[in-house]
Amino acid sequence: MMIQNPNKNRLINKKSHRIEQQQHSATQRTVTLATDQHKKCRTAAEILVQLANKVTGCVRSFVFKMETDTKRYKLKYEKTKKMIKNFVFENAALCDEISELQEKYMIINEENKFLYSKLGALNSTQETASKSQSVRKNSPVPKTLSGAQKKAPAAKKSRTISTASVGSSPAGSENVTKKGARKQTTARGKAVKKLVHPILLDATGRPIFPIVVGNLSVYSLGDVITDRSGYHTEEMIFPVGFCSCRVYGSIMNPEQQCVYTCKIIDGGPQPLFEIASDDIPGSPIVGNSPNECLTVLQSKINKAVGVEVVSDNTKGPEFFGITVPTIQNLIQSSGTRKLPGYKPLKFEVCKTGNVADPSLVDASLNFDALQRSIAFSKNQLASINFDSHDPVIRDFFMGV
């Protein structure tokens, strides 16, 4: 049998007791640590819950405030939208009223200008008529002569004729006739002398194209035909290749501007005249005279308006530009000696440059005058009760 040592057992008991104490202290330490951590985690969770509650409360309050703000702003937006719509409608109504007033003002202003021009024309015609009457009244009345007094001048005339026939040669009579013809031509030249605009010339003395006179632009003067009598008259020359442009009312819509190209074409024994519109370039108006082309153009414009706004079809040469003094002077200066039927005119360059342009108030030549005639016929002629077939009244109110 083995003999047990009591000391050894005692030591073993001590060690085991010590180990148990250490284990117990360790477990107590772990328990305390766990409890501490649990307390910390609990406090942290409580803090997080409190924070979450605060955040949710803030979010709810913010969302509620946003909803209330959106409702309030939505109401304000609807109100401002209605106000803007009302303002837009009021502005549109005011703009319409202003445009109507402006149109009425422009029509009244144009009517005043038109009536003033007509009044001036009537005053000038009355003045010329009164002057001619006064000249007739102031001219001496020829006294009646007795038979002897009547025979005496006859005798003197017979003497002068006999002396001229006996003492003069045929050359002398030719000189007398030439002098009389010169006097007649000078007198006629003074009567028809016209003012022309100064134009630009190049280094060789030729005009620079285009030549602009009012709303007429001439791009070519053409060539004067001397071997055919149908290409000139006593007052006009029709050069082949003549080309001009004029701004006038459109055929489609006469209240809009349109450029018309006028040409003179070689048609054999007689020239052909052509008016081409920019609106309808493929179908020009062709005629045997400028007045024929202008008549067709005016009929189309009257048809488009629905009222006869222009009816003076005698301004065809002026519409083409061949009788405008500045252009006629240039055409005449190209050579007229071989034109037996043409009677040359005398022109004078205006030094001031301010040449009166009668086409400005002519509805058959000027676009603005045509618009005045259209506005006047639409707004006034409907309310005036008179016979529209009366040419005097119609021309007075139409501005033709």
Side-chain angles (χ1 to χ4, degrees):
M1 290 186 62
M2 292 180 63
I3 297 170
Q4 294 182 353
N5 191 358
N7 293 326
K8 189 176 181 180
N9 292 329
R10 198 180 291 122
L11 290 170
I12 291 168
N13 291 329
K14 285 181 180 179
K15 283 183 181 179
S16 61
H17 181 69
R18 193 180 295 163
I19 289 168
E20 288 177 357
Q21 286 181 350
Q22 288 177 356
Q23 289 177 354
H24 182 69
S25 61
T27 54
Q28 285 182 351
R29 265 193 245 111
T30 55
V31 169
T32 54
L33 287 172
T35 54
D36 291 338
Q37 288 180 357
H38 180 69
K39 287 180 180 178
K40 289 180 180 179
C41 289
R42 189 174 180 180
T43 54
E46 290 177 354
I47 291 168
L48 289 172
V49 169
Q50 291 176 359
L51 289 173
N53 292 328
K54 288 182 180 180
V55 169
T56 53
C58 292
V59 169
R60 287 177 182 175
S61 63
F62 180 73
V63 169
F64 180 75
K65 188 177 180 181
M66 286 293 293
E67 288 178 354
T68 55
D69 290 340
T70 51
K71 287 180 181 180
R72 188 171 70 252
Y73 288 130
K74 194 173 182 179
L75 292 173
K76 288 184 178 179
Y77 170 73
E78 294 294 334
K79 289 182 180 179
T80 51
K81 192 175 179 181
K82 288 181 180 178
M83 291 174 65
I84 289 169
K85 283 184 179 179
N86 293 329
F87 284 138
V88 167
F89 290 139
E90 290 179 1
N91 189 16
L94 290 173
C95 289
D96 291 337
E97 290 181 0
I98 290 169
S99 62
E100 288 178 0
L101 291 174
Q102 287 179 350
E103 187 176 358
K104 289 180 181 179
Y105 174 75
M106 291 175 65
I107 291 171
I108 291 170
N109 193 10
E110 295 296 333
E111 288 176 359
N112 288 333
K113 290 180 181 178
F114 173 73
L115 292 174
Y116 276 125
S117 63
K118 281 294 179 182
L119 186 61
L122 289 174
N123 288 332
S124 62
T125 54
Q126 289 177 359
E127 287 178 0
T128 53
S130 62
K131 286 181 181 178
S132 62
Q133 289 178 359
S134 62
V135 168
R136 289 176 182 175
K137 289 180 181 179
N138 295 325
S139 60
V141 180
K143 297 180 181 180
T144 57
L145 300 176
S146 62
Q149 289 176 346
K150 286 180 180 178
K151 291 178 181 178
K156 288 181 180 179
K157 286 181 181 178
S158 62
R159 287 178 185 176
T160 54
I161 291 168
S162 62
T163 54
S165 60
V166 172
S168 62
S169 62
S173 62
E174 287 179 0
N175 291 329
V176 172
T177 55
K178 286 182 180 179
K179 288 180 181 179
R182 287 178 184 175
K183 288 181 181 179
Q184 290 178 359
T185 53
T186 54
R188 188 176 62 82
K190 289 181 181 178
V192 298
K193 187 179 288 186
K194 298 179 180 180
L195 295 175
V196 299
H197 292 273
I199 60 172
L200 298 176
L201 302 175
D202 58 6
T204 60
R206 295 180 179 180
I208 299 174
F209 294 96
I211 304 169
V212 181
V213 182
N215 62 347
L216 176 73
S217 300
V218 177
Y219 291 90
S220 175
L221 294 175
D223 299 323
V224 178
I225 305 299
T226 58
D227 57 348
R228 283 171 279 181
S229 61
Y231 286 79
H232 67 275
T233 62
E234 291 185 357
E235 300 176 351
M236 292 180 289
I237 301 172
F238 307 126
V240 173
F242 179 85
C243 180
S244 64
C245 292
R246 182 180 289 275
V247 178
Y248 198 58
S250 173
I251 296 174
M252 307 300 293
N253 185 5
E255 295 183 3
Q256 292 182 356
Q257 289 187 353
C258 178
V259 179
Y260 289 91
T261 303
C262 306
K263 295 180 181 180
I264 300 177
I265 307 170
D266 191 350
Q270 299 290 333
L272 292 177
F273 300 87
E274 176 183 302
I275 297 178
S277 171
D278 285 350
D279 291 345
I280 313 173
S283 59
I285 301 171
V286 182
N288 295 321
S289 67
N291 291 331
E292 183 179 348
C293 297
L294 185 62
T295 302
V296 177
L297 177 62
Q298 289 178 354
S299 64
K300 290 184 178 181
I301 288 175
N302 292 330
K303 185 178 179 180
V305 176
V307 182
E308 188 176 356
V309 295
V310 59
S311 60
D312 189 1
N313 54 8
T314 62
K315 300 295 181 67
E318 294 182 12
F319 191 88
F320 274 72
I322 54 179
T323 57
V324 175
T326 304
I327 308 303
Q328 192 172 9
N329 182 29
L330 294 172
I331 295 172
Q332 180 178 296
S333 62
S334 62
T336 58
R337 293 181 180 178
K338 296 182 180 180
L339 302 178
Y342 179 73
K343 294 181 180 180
L345 303 175
K346 286 192 176 181
F347 300 94
E348 182 180 356
V349 178
C350 182
K351 297 179 181 180
T352 60
N354 297 323
V355 181
D357 190 1
S359 65
L360 295 176
V361 294
D362 196 339
S364 60
L365 300 174
N366 187 267
F367 175 76
D368 295 331
L370 178 64
Q371 299 308 307
R372 289 195 292 269
S373 179
I374 293 172
F376 191 80
S377 62
K378 284 185 176 180
N379 291 277
Q380 296 296 328
L381 292 182
S383 61
I384 297 174
N385 295 321
F386 65 89
D387 188 5
S388 61
H389 298 287
D390 189 353
V392 178
I393 300 175
R394 184 188 62 203
D395 292 343
F396 177 79
F397 284 103
M398 288 292 187
V400 178

